[in-house]
Amino acid sequence: MSTIKALILDFDGTILDTETAWYEAFREAYLEHEVELTLDMYGKCIGTSSHVFDPYEYLITELKIPLDRESFRQGVHDRHTQKMAHEGIRPGILDYLETAKGLGLRIGLASSSRRAWVDMYLAQLGIGDYFETIRTAEDVAVVKPHPELYELALKDLGVQPDEAIAIEDSPNGARAAAAAGMHYIVVPNPVTKFLSFDGEPRTVGTLAELSLQALLEGVEGK
């Protein structure tokens, strides 16, 4: 039985649902070239880098469609920005951060995205001060599903893997937490809920459905 001392949260799709907007933006851009971007295909790059599937390059390198790379990229980013204008912090996240802080838990963030991206949205949401450590793509040689991001965050917080819970939304993120030896809970978003997760992880629709206290009791009672 372990006593939980820390929470480490993923960012994209977990704290803020940037993932659905990305998928929709890419899907719309692909349809302009009469190509269907399936979730199975796009899901390979969620929560990790684009080394397995690069949605910016696929039409050019694999399908040989003559596109201007920069204008295609800019078009996708413009669509994403428009879609994100109406997106807010996911349900239950703020309650978890507040409760964790009140309980004296250490709080970290581990994201496969770049630091400037994470910082921009944390500032917009006004929640950056909750995190004692933030580890992003620039800090590691390999992002999720490799465990290095979580391993660094655990080291920063001074806790052992079995003393921390990761909060994730994607299969790649869940694999990283498991590989780091952590407890974890999956909170899928409208895109990642259709993806296949390893094993049978504890899953909730949103964190508003499960209090942090109840989660802690469930983990610590094992």
Side-chain angles (χ1 to χ4, degrees):
M1 188 170 75
S2 55
T3 299
I4 300 302
K5 298 178 180 177
L7 287 185
I8 304 178
L9 290 80
D10 170 55
F11 180 71
D12 287 282
T14 298
I15 291 176
L16 182 68
D17 183 13
T18 57
E19 299 291 7
T20 300
W22 276 127
Y23 176 59
E24 291 176 349
F26 276 111
R27 186 170 181 273
E28 290 170 8
Y30 274 50
L31 284 174
E32 289 184 349
H33 300 280
E34 299 182 349
V35 178
E36 177 67 37
L37 178 61
T38 66
L39 259 179
D40 282 345
M41 193 185 294
Y42 184 72
K44 296 173 184 176
C45 68
I46 295 179
T48 184
S49 65
S50 57
H51 65 286
V52 175
F53 173 73
D54 188 336
Y56 291 108
E57 294 290 320
Y58 180 77
L59 295 179
I60 301 170
T61 60
E62 300 299 319
L63 301 187
K64 310 302 181 185
I65 296 175
L67 295 176
D68 179 84
R69 280 180 168 84
E70 191 50 45
S71 62
F72 180 75
R73 180 179 292 269
Q74 190 59 53
V76 171
H77 277 250
D78 289 346
R79 291 175 194 267
H80 185 267
T81 298
Q82 292 169 6
K83 294 175 186 300
M84 286 303 298
H86 308 292
E87 200 67 43
I89 192 167
R90 291 194 68 198
I93 291 290
L94 198 54
D95 286 342
Y96 263 56
L97 294 174
E98 279 289 327
T99 303
K101 184 177 179 181
L103 293 172
L105 299 181
R106 314 297 296 273
I107 306 174
L109 188 151
S111 171
S112 293
S113 294
R114 300 190 68 80
R115 181 64 184 256
W117 172 266
V118 173
D119 283 347
M120 174 182 72
Y121 279 115
L122 289 180
Q124 287 183 22
L125 296 171
I127 60 173
D129 289 345
Y130 284 102
F131 301 99
E132 296 178 59
T133 185
I134 297 174
R135 289 294 188 170
T136 58
E138 293 92 332
D139 297 317
V140 296
V142 187
V143 294
K144 302 171 187 175
H146 193 279
E148 189 177 3
L149 279 164
Y150 277 119
E151 290 168 348
L152 284 177
L154 289 166
K155 184 177 180 181
D156 292 343
L157 298 176
V159 298
Q160 296 301 309
D162 67 348
E163 296 174 331
I165 300 174
I167 300 177
E168 276 287 353
D169 73 300
S170 72
N172 283 314
R175 289 184 191 113
M182 301 171 65
H183 305 280
Y184 64 95
I185 184 170
V186 173
V187 191
N189 56 57
V191 167
T192 59
K193 71 180 182 180
F194 293 107
L195 302 179
S196 178
F197 286 80
D198 298 343
E200 296 181 359
R202 183 161 192 180
T203 303
V204 292
T206 73
L207 291 181
E209 298 173 13
L210 179 72
S211 70
L212 176 56
Q213 197 66 55
L215 175 61
L216 293 174
E217 289 171 1
V219 170
E220 292 176 344
K222 288 183 178 179

mmCIF file of all heavy atoms in Angstrom, residues 10-49:
data_model
loop_
_atom_site.group_PDB
_atom_site.id
_atom_site.type_symbol
_atom_site.label_atom_id
_atom_site.label_comp_id
_atom_site.label_asym_id
_atom_site.label_seq_id
_atom_site.Cartn_x
_atom_site.Cartn_y
_atom_site.Cartn_z
ATOM 1 N N ASP A 10 -0.644 15.447 -17.444
ATOM 2 C CA ASP A 10 -0.370 15.719 -18.851
ATOM 3 C C ASP A 10 -1.029 17.055 -19.177
ATOM 4 O O ASP A 10 -1.863 17.545 -18.416
ATOM 5 C CB ASP A 10 -0.972 14.587 -19.694
ATOM 6 C CG ASP A 10 -0.951 14.886 -21.168
ATOM 7 O OD1 ASP A 10 0.136 15.180 -21.696
ATOM 8 O OD2 ASP A 10 -2.024 14.838 -21.801
ATOM 9 N N PHE A 11 -0.671 17.639 -20.318
ATOM 10 C CA PHE A 11 -1.311 18.916 -20.668
ATOM 11 C C PHE A 11 -2.325 18.782 -21.796
ATOM 12 O O PHE A 11 -3.521 18.849 -21.571
ATOM 13 C CB PHE A 11 -0.269 19.984 -21.029
ATOM 14 C CG PHE A 11 -0.934 21.283 -21.383
ATOM 15 C CD1 PHE A 11 -1.534 22.045 -20.401
ATOM 16 C CD2 PHE A 11 -1.015 21.703 -22.705
ATOM 17 C CE1 PHE A 11 -2.211 23.221 -20.716
ATOM 18 C CE2 PHE A 11 -1.680 22.872 -23.034
ATOM 19 C CZ PHE A 11 -2.275 23.637 -22.037
ATOM 20 N N ASP A 12 -1.833 18.573 -23.040
ATOM 21 C CA ASP A 12 -2.736 18.562 -24.198
ATOM 22 C C ASP A 12 -3.757 17.434 -24.105
ATOM 23 O O ASP A 12 -3.395 16.265 -23.985
ATOM 24 C CB ASP A 12 -1.927 18.407 -25.485
ATOM 25 C CG ASP A 12 -1.172 19.665 -25.842
ATOM 26 O OD1 ASP A 12 -1.797 20.594 -26.359
ATOM 27 O OD2 ASP A 12 0.046 19.716 -25.582
ATOM 28 N N GLY A 13 -5.025 17.812 -24.161
ATOM 29 C CA GLY A 13 -6.091 16.823 -24.102
ATOM 30 C C GLY A 13 -6.534 16.472 -22.699
ATOM 31 O O GLY A 13 -7.620 15.949 -22.501
ATOM 32 N N THR A 14 -5.665 16.759 -21.722
ATOM 33 C CA THR A 14 -5.972 16.424 -20.326
ATOM 34 C C THR A 14 -6.435 17.655 -19.560
ATOM 35 O O THR A 14 -7.531 17.681 -18.996
ATOM 36 C CB THR A 14 -4.735 15.817 -19.638
ATOM 37 O OG1 THR A 14 -4.376 14.606 -20.311
ATOM 38 C CG2 THR A 14 -5.016 15.516 -18.172
ATOM 39 N N ILE A 15 -5.596 18.687 -19.532
ATOM 40 C CA ILE A 15 -5.957 19.946 -18.875
ATOM 41 C C ILE A 15 -6.824 20.792 -19.800
ATOM 42 O O ILE A 15 -7.833 21.371 -19.392
ATOM 43 C CB ILE A 15 -4.688 20.718 -18.468
ATOM 44 C CG1 ILE A 15 -3.966 19.979 -17.329
ATOM 45 C CG2 ILE A 15 -5.033 22.146 -18.041
ATOM 46 C CD1 ILE A 15 -2.637 20.598 -16.918
ATOM 47 N N LEU A 16 -6.422 20.839 -21.042
ATOM 48 C CA LEU A 16 -7.143 21.609 -22.060
ATOM 49 C C LEU A 16 -7.265 20.728 -23.298
ATOM 50 O O LEU A 16 -6.271 20.154 -23.748
ATOM 51 C CB LEU A 16 -6.357 22.885 -22.394
ATOM 52 C CG LEU A 16 -6.975 23.849 -23.397
ATOM 53 C CD1 LEU A 16 -8.232 24.504 -22.817
ATOM 54 C CD2 LEU A 16 -5.961 24.929 -23.797
ATOM 55 N N ASP A 17 -8.471 20.610 -23.842
ATOM 56 C CA ASP A 17 -8.654 19.721 -24.987
ATOM 57 C C ASP A 17 -8.209 20.407 -26.273
ATOM 58 O O ASP A 17 -9.025 20.885 -27.068
ATOM 59 C CB ASP A 17 -10.101 19.252 -25.098
ATOM 60 C CG ASP A 17 -10.279 18.262 -26.256
ATOM 61 O OD1 ASP A 17 -9.245 17.784 -26.778
ATOM 62 O OD2 ASP A 17 -11.424 17.980 -26.622
ATOM 63 N N THR A 18 -6.910 20.427 -26.477
ATOM 64 C CA THR A 18 -6.355 20.905 -27.740
ATOM 65 C C THR A 18 -6.432 19.821 -28.809
ATOM 66 O O THR A 18 -6.344 20.113 -30.002
ATOM 67 C CB THR A 18 -4.883 21.304 -27.563
ATOM 68 O OG1 THR A 18 -4.153 20.174 -27.047
ATOM 69 C CG2 THR A 18 -4.752 22.467 -26.578
ATOM 70 N N GLU A 19 -6.567 18.567 -28.389
ATOM 71 C CA GLU A 19 -6.476 17.441 -29.317
ATOM 72 C C GLU A 19 -7.644 17.360 -30.293
ATOM 73 O O GLU A 19 -7.457 17.086 -31.474
ATOM 74 C CB GLU A 19 -6.372 16.123 -28.540
ATOM 75 C CG GLU A 19 -5.160 16.008 -27.637
ATOM 76 C CD GLU A 19 -3.852 15.904 -28.407
ATOM 77 O OE1 GLU A 19 -3.872 16.047 -29.648
ATOM 78 O OE2 GLU A 19 -2.818 15.683 -27.778
ATOM 79 N N THR A 20 -8.856 17.572 -29.800
ATOM 80 C CA THR A 20 -10.014 17.506 -30.688
ATOM 81 C C THR A 20 -9.923 18.573 -31.769
ATOM 82 O O THR A 20 -10.196 18.310 -32.947
ATOM 83 C CB THR A 20 -11.322 17.662 -29.892
ATOM 84 O OG1 THR A 20 -11.407 16.611 -28.922
ATOM 85 C CG2 THR A 20 -12.534 17.605 -30.803
ATOM 86 N N ALA A 21 -9.512 19.768 -31.380
ATOM 87 C CA ALA A 21 -9.369 20.859 -32.350
ATOM 88 C C ALA A 21 -8.297 20.546 -33.390
ATOM 89 O O ALA A 21 -8.458 20.862 -34.574
ATOM 90 C CB ALA A 21 -9.047 22.166 -31.631
ATOM 91 N N TRP A 22 -7.185 19.920 -32.959
ATOM 92 C CA TRP A 22 -6.142 19.541 -33.917
ATOM 93 C C TRP A 22 -6.677 18.520 -34.907
ATOM 94 O O TRP A 22 -6.473 18.636 -36.126
ATOM 95 C CB TRP A 22 -4.924 18.952 -33.205
ATOM 96 C CG TRP A 22 -3.935 19.928 -32.677
ATOM 97 C CD1 TRP A 22 -3.446 20.000 -31.412
ATOM 98 C CD2 TRP A 22 -3.268 20.975 -33.399
ATOM 99 N NE1 TRP A 22 -2.537 21.026 -31.292
ATOM 100 C CE2 TRP A 22 -2.406 21.635 -32.494
ATOM 101 C CE3 TRP A 22 -3.323 21.417 -34.721
ATOM 102 C CZ2 TRP A 22 -1.606 22.716 -32.870
ATOM 103 C CZ3 TRP A 22 -2.529 22.498 -35.105
ATOM 104 C CH2 TRP A 22 -1.687 23.131 -34.193
ATOM 105 N N TYR A 23 -7.345 17.493 -34.409
ATOM 106 C CA TYR A 23 -7.863 16.465 -35.305
ATOM 107 C C TYR A 23 -8.843 17.059 -36.309
ATOM 108 O O TYR A 23 -8.776 16.777 -37.517
ATOM 109 C CB TYR A 23 -8.518 15.329 -34.519
ATOM 110 C CG TYR A 23 -9.155 14.287 -35.411
ATOM 111 C CD1 TYR A 23 -8.399 13.592 -36.355
ATOM 112 C CD2 TYR A 23 -10.522 14.027 -35.331
ATOM 113 C CE1 TYR A 23 -8.984 12.648 -37.192
ATOM 114 C CE2 TYR A 23 -11.111 13.086 -36.170
ATOM 115 C CZ TYR A 23 -10.337 12.402 -37.095
ATOM 116 O OH TYR A 23 -10.918 11.489 -37.929
ATOM 117 N N GLU A 24 -9.755 17.888 -35.826
ATOM 118 C CA GLU A 24 -10.736 18.494 -36.716
ATOM 119 C C GLU A 24 -10.066 19.398 -37.744
ATOM 120 O O GLU A 24 -10.453 19.418 -38.923
ATOM 121 C CB GLU A 24 -11.760 19.287 -35.904
ATOM 122 C CG GLU A 24 -12.682 18.406 -35.066
ATOM 123 C CD GLU A 24 -13.627 19.208 -34.200
ATOM 124 O OE1 GLU A 24 -13.422 20.450 -34.095
ATOM 125 O OE2 GLU A 24 -14.553 18.617 -33.635
ATOM 126 N N ALA A 25 -9.044 20.149 -37.318
ATOM 127 C CA ALA A 25 -8.337 21.048 -38.229
ATOM 128 C C ALA A 25 -7.611 20.255 -39.326
ATOM 129 O O ALA A 25 -7.678 20.598 -40.518
ATOM 130 C CB ALA A 25 -7.338 21.906 -37.455
ATOM 131 N N PHE A 26 -6.928 19.180 -38.929
ATOM 132 C CA PHE A 26 -6.247 18.346 -39.915
ATOM 133 C C PHE A 26 -7.244 17.631 -40.825
ATOM 134 O O PHE A 26 -7.046 17.542 -42.044
ATOM 135 C CB PHE A 26 -5.353 17.313 -39.224
ATOM 136 C CG PHE A 26 -3.991 17.839 -38.857
ATOM 137 C CD1 PHE A 26 -3.643 18.018 -37.532
ATOM 138 C CD2 PHE A 26 -3.071 18.151 -39.843
ATOM 139 C CE1 PHE A 26 -2.383 18.512 -37.196
ATOM 140 C CE2 PHE A 26 -1.810 18.635 -39.512
ATOM 141 C CZ PHE A 26 -1.463 18.825 -38.185
ATOM 142 N N ARG A 27 -8.318 17.124 -40.227
ATOM 143 C CA ARG A 27 -9.306 16.377 -41.012
ATOM 144 C C ARG A 27 -9.915 17.273 -42.093
ATOM 145 O O ARG A 27 -10.072 16.854 -43.244
ATOM 146 C CB ARG A 27 -10.383 15.813 -40.101
ATOM 147 C CG ARG A 27 -11.365 14.898 -40.804
ATOM 148 C CD ARG A 27 -12.274 14.179 -39.805
ATOM 149 N NE ARG A 27 -13.192 13.300 -40.507
ATOM 150 C CZ ARG A 27 -14.369 13.694 -40.998
ATOM 151 N NH1 ARG A 27 -14.769 14.939 -40.847
ATOM 152 N NH2 ARG A 27 -15.147 12.828 -41.622
ATOM 153 N N GLU A 28 -10.242 18.500 -41.726
ATOM 154 C CA GLU A 28 -10.808 19.438 -42.697
ATOM 155 C C GLU A 28 -9.798 19.760 -43.801
ATOM 156 O O GLU A 28 -10.153 19.847 -44.983
ATOM 157 C CB GLU A 28 -11.245 20.722 -41.995
ATOM 158 C CG GLU A 28 -12.467 20.533 -41.110
ATOM 159 C CD GLU A 28 -12.753 21.748 -40.236
ATOM 160 O OE1 GLU A 28 -12.077 22.790 -40.434
ATOM 161 O OE2 GLU A 28 -13.629 21.659 -39.362
ATOM 162 N N ALA A 29 -8.539 19.930 -43.408
ATOM 163 C CA ALA A 29 -7.496 20.233 -44.390
ATOM 164 C C ALA A 29 -7.289 19.055 -45.349
ATOM 165 O O ALA A 29 -7.091 19.250 -46.556
ATOM 166 C CB ALA A 29 -6.191 20.573 -43.676
ATOM 167 N N TYR A 30 -7.331 17.842 -44.826
ATOM 168 C CA TYR A 30 -7.191 16.657 -45.672
ATOM 169 C C TYR A 30 -8.357 16.523 -46.635
ATOM 170 O O TYR A 30 -8.180 16.151 -47.808
ATOM 171 C CB TYR A 30 -7.086 15.394 -44.798
ATOM 172 C CG TYR A 30 -5.696 15.053 -44.324
ATOM 173 C CD1 TYR A 30 -4.885 16.025 -43.722
ATOM 174 C CD2 TYR A 30 -5.185 13.772 -44.460
ATOM 175 C CE1 TYR A 30 -3.612 15.713 -43.277
ATOM 176 C CE2 TYR A 30 -3.906 13.449 -44.017
ATOM 177 C CZ TYR A 30 -3.125 14.426 -43.418
ATOM 178 O OH TYR A 30 -1.866 14.117 -42.988
ATOM 179 N N LEU A 31 -9.574 16.804 -46.152
ATOM 180 C CA LEU A 31 -10.755 16.661 -47.004
ATOM 181 C C LEU A 31 -10.709 17.601 -48.197
ATOM 182 O O LEU A 31 -11.290 17.307 -49.258
ATOM 183 C CB LEU A 31 -12.024 16.912 -46.183
ATOM 184 C CG LEU A 31 -12.446 15.778 -45.243
ATOM 185 C CD1 LEU A 31 -13.624 16.214 -44.382
ATOM 186 C CD2 LEU A 31 -12.797 14.511 -46.034
ATOM 187 N N GLU A 32 -10.017 18.730 -48.060
ATOM 188 C CA GLU A 32 -9.864 19.646 -49.188
ATOM 189 C C GLU A 32 -9.100 18.976 -50.336
ATOM 190 O O GLU A 32 -9.189 19.413 -51.482
ATOM 191 C CB GLU A 32 -9.145 20.922 -48.748
ATOM 192 C CG GLU A 32 -9.991 21.815 -47.860
ATOM 193 C CD GLU A 32 -9.301 23.116 -47.513
ATOM 194 O OE1 GLU A 32 -8.080 23.238 -47.783
ATOM 195 O OE2 GLU A 32 -9.969 24.009 -46.969
ATOM 196 N N HIS A 33 -8.346 17.923 -49.988
ATOM 197 C CA HIS A 33 -7.591 17.170 -50.999
ATOM 198 C C HIS A 33 -8.189 15.772 -51.199
ATOM 199 O O HIS A 33 -7.532 14.873 -51.698
ATOM 200 C CB HIS A 33 -6.125 17.087 -50.580
ATOM 201 C CG HIS A 33 -5.480 18.433 -50.425
ATOM 202 N ND1 HIS A 33 -5.027 19.161 -51.505
ATOM 203 C CD2 HIS A 33 -5.271 19.196 -49.321
ATOM 204 C CE1 HIS A 33 -4.543 20.308 -51.067
ATOM 205 N NE2 HIS A 33 -4.681 20.357 -49.753
ATOM 206 N N GLU A 34 -9.459 15.639 -50.757
ATOM 207 C CA GLU A 34 -10.231 14.405 -50.922
ATOM 208 C C GLU A 34 -9.567 13.194 -50.259
ATOM 209 O O GLU A 34 -9.598 12.076 -50.780
ATOM 210 C CB GLU A 34 -10.483 14.128 -52.413
ATOM 211 C CG GLU A 34 -11.279 15.245 -53.082
ATOM 212 C CD GLU A 34 -11.566 14.958 -54.545
ATOM 213 O OE1 GLU A 34 -10.979 14.007 -55.089
ATOM 214 O OE2 GLU A 34 -12.381 15.684 -55.136
ATOM 215 N N VAL A 35 -8.972 13.450 -49.106
ATOM 216 C CA VAL A 35 -8.346 12.390 -48.316
ATOM 217 C C VAL A 35 -9.010 12.351 -46.944
ATOM 218 O O VAL A 35 -9.156 13.392 -46.285
ATOM 219 C CB VAL A 35 -6.828 12.620 -48.148
ATOM 220 C CG1 VAL A 35 -6.215 11.528 -47.266
ATOM 221 C CG2 VAL A 35 -6.147 12.653 -49.509
ATOM 222 N N GLU A 36 -9.411 11.155 -46.515
ATOM 223 C CA GLU A 36 -10.038 10.983 -45.198
ATOM 224 C C GLU A 36 -8.956 10.680 -44.166
ATOM 225 O O GLU A 36 -8.228 9.693 -44.292
ATOM 226 C CB GLU A 36 -11.041 9.841 -45.236
ATOM 227 C CG GLU A 36 -11.697 9.542 -43.892
ATOM 228 C CD GLU A 36 -12.609 10.656 -43.403
ATOM 229 O OE1 GLU A 36 -13.291 11.275 -44.247
ATOM 230 O OE2 GLU A 36 -12.634 10.905 -42.189
ATOM 231 N N LEU A 37 -8.833 11.535 -43.176
ATOM 232 C CA LEU A 37 -7.886 11.305 -42.085
ATOM 233 C C LEU A 37 -8.628 10.575 -40.970
ATOM 234 O O LEU A 37 -9.449 11.157 -40.266
ATOM 235 C CB LEU A 37 -7.322 12.625 -41.563
ATOM 236 C CG LEU A 37 -6.358 12.532 -40.380
ATOM 237 C CD1 LEU A 37 -5.116 11.722 -40.740
ATOM 238 C CD2 LEU A 37 -5.971 13.916 -39.878
ATOM 239 N N THR A 38 -8.352 9.299 -40.819
ATOM 240 C CA THR A 38 -9.056 8.508 -39.812
ATOM 241 C C THR A 38 -8.458 8.730 -38.429
ATOM 242 O O THR A 38 -7.302 9.140 -38.287
ATOM 243 C CB THR A 38 -8.978 7.010 -40.146
ATOM 244 O OG1 THR A 38 -7.610 6.581 -40.030
ATOM 245 C CG2 THR A 38 -9.493 6.733 -41.547
ATOM 246 N N LEU A 39 -9.253 8.405 -37.420
ATOM 247 C CA LEU A 39 -8.761 8.514 -36.041
ATOM 248 C C LEU A 39 -7.639 7.516 -35.785
ATOM 249 O O LEU A 39 -6.697 7.810 -35.047
ATOM 250 C CB LEU A 39 -9.910 8.279 -35.052
ATOM 251 C CG LEU A 39 -10.522 9.520 -34.431
ATOM 252 C CD1 LEU A 39 -11.641 9.132 -33.496
ATOM 253 C CD2 LEU A 39 -9.474 10.350 -33.699
ATOM 254 N N ASP A 40 -7.741 6.333 -36.365
ATOM 255 C CA ASP A 40 -6.685 5.337 -36.196
ATOM 256 C C ASP A 40 -5.351 5.878 -36.684
ATOM 257 O O ASP A 40 -4.312 5.670 -36.059
ATOM 258 C CB ASP A 40 -7.023 4.055 -36.961
ATOM 259 C CG ASP A 40 -8.039 3.192 -36.230
ATOM 260 O OD1 ASP A 40 -8.255 3.450 -35.032
ATOM 261 O OD2 ASP A 40 -8.611 2.289 -36.856
ATOM 262 N N MET A 41 -5.401 6.556 -37.811
ATOM 263 C CA MET A 41 -4.187 7.115 -38.388
ATOM 264 C C MET A 41 -3.664 8.268 -37.536
ATOM 265 O O MET A 41 -2.508 8.300 -37.130
ATOM 266 C CB MET A 41 -4.494 7.603 -39.815
ATOM 267 C CG MET A 41 -3.276 7.921 -40.662
ATOM 268 S SD MET A 41 -3.771 8.623 -42.267
ATOM 269 C CE MET A 41 -4.610 7.214 -42.978
ATOM 270 N N TYR A 42 -4.548 9.208 -37.235
ATOM 271 C CA TYR A 42 -4.133 10.393 -36.483
ATOM 272 C C TYR A 42 -3.748 10.048 -35.049
ATOM 273 O O TYR A 42 -2.864 10.676 -34.454
ATOM 274 C CB TYR A 42 -5.256 11.441 -36.480
ATOM 275 C CG TYR A 42 -4.848 12.718 -35.791
ATOM 276 C CD1 TYR A 42 -3.939 13.591 -36.378
ATOM 277 C CD2 TYR A 42 -5.351 13.033 -34.529
ATOM 278 C CE1 TYR A 42 -3.547 14.746 -35.743
ATOM 279 C CE2 TYR A 42 -4.958 14.193 -33.885
ATOM 280 C CZ TYR A 42 -4.056 15.040 -34.493
ATOM 281 O OH TYR A 42 -3.657 16.184 -33.849
ATOM 282 N N GLY A 43 -4.393 9.035 -34.489
ATOM 283 C CA GLY A 43 -4.143 8.661 -33.099
ATOM 284 C C GLY A 43 -2.701 8.277 -32.817
ATOM 285 O O GLY A 43 -2.240 8.359 -31.668
ATOM 286 N N LYS A 44 -1.958 7.892 -33.862
ATOM 287 C CA LYS A 44 -0.562 7.481 -33.675
ATOM 288 C C LYS A 44 0.318 8.622 -33.175
ATOM 289 O O LYS A 44 1.348 8.381 -32.536
ATOM 290 C CB LYS A 44 0.011 6.944 -34.993
ATOM 291 C CG LYS A 44 -0.672 5.688 -35.496
ATOM 292 C CD LYS A 44 -0.162 5.308 -36.876
ATOM 293 C CE LYS A 44 -0.902 4.106 -37.436
ATOM 294 N NZ LYS A 44 -0.469 3.790 -38.820
ATOM 295 N N CYS A 45 -0.067 9.869 -33.467
ATOM 296 C CA CYS A 45 0.771 11.000 -33.062
ATOM 297 C C CYS A 45 0.226 11.740 -31.842
ATOM 298 O O CYS A 45 0.824 12.723 -31.399
ATOM 299 C CB CYS A 45 0.975 11.969 -34.226
ATOM 300 S SG CYS A 45 -0.501 12.861 -34.766
ATOM 301 N N ILE A 46 -0.888 11.278 -31.276
ATOM 302 C CA ILE A 46 -1.447 11.947 -30.099
ATOM 303 C C ILE A 46 -0.640 11.587 -28.859
ATOM 304 O O ILE A 46 -0.409 10.417 -28.576
ATOM 305 C CB ILE A 46 -2.930 11.572 -29.893
ATOM 306 C CG1 ILE A 46 -3.770 12.107 -31.053
ATOM 307 C CG2 ILE A 46 -3.452 12.124 -28.565
ATOM 308 C CD1 ILE A 46 -5.242 11.763 -30.955
ATOM 309 N N GLY A 47 -0.224 12.596 -28.129
ATOM 310 C CA GLY A 47 0.513 12.379 -26.886
ATOM 311 C C GLY A 47 1.977 12.049 -27.080
ATOM 312 O O GLY A 47 2.670 11.712 -26.127
ATOM 313 N N THR A 48 2.452 12.143 -28.311
ATOM 314 C CA THR A 48 3.852 11.838 -28.594
ATOM 315 C C THR A 48 4.339 12.795 -29.676
ATOM 316 O O THR A 48 3.719 13.825 -29.943
ATOM 317 C CB THR A 48 4.029 10.363 -29.008
ATOM 318 O OG1 THR A 48 5.411 10.078 -29.182
ATOM 319 C CG2 THR A 48 3.258 10.032 -30.275
ATOM 320 N N SER A 49 5.452 12.462 -30.312
ATOM 321 C CA SER A 49 5.955 13.275 -31.414
ATOM 322 C C SER A 49 5.382 12.734 -32.725
ATOM 323 O O SER A 49 4.615 11.774 -32.730
ATOM 324 C CB SER A 49 7.481 13.227 -31.444
ATOM 325 O OG SER A 49 7.924 11.911 -31.742
#
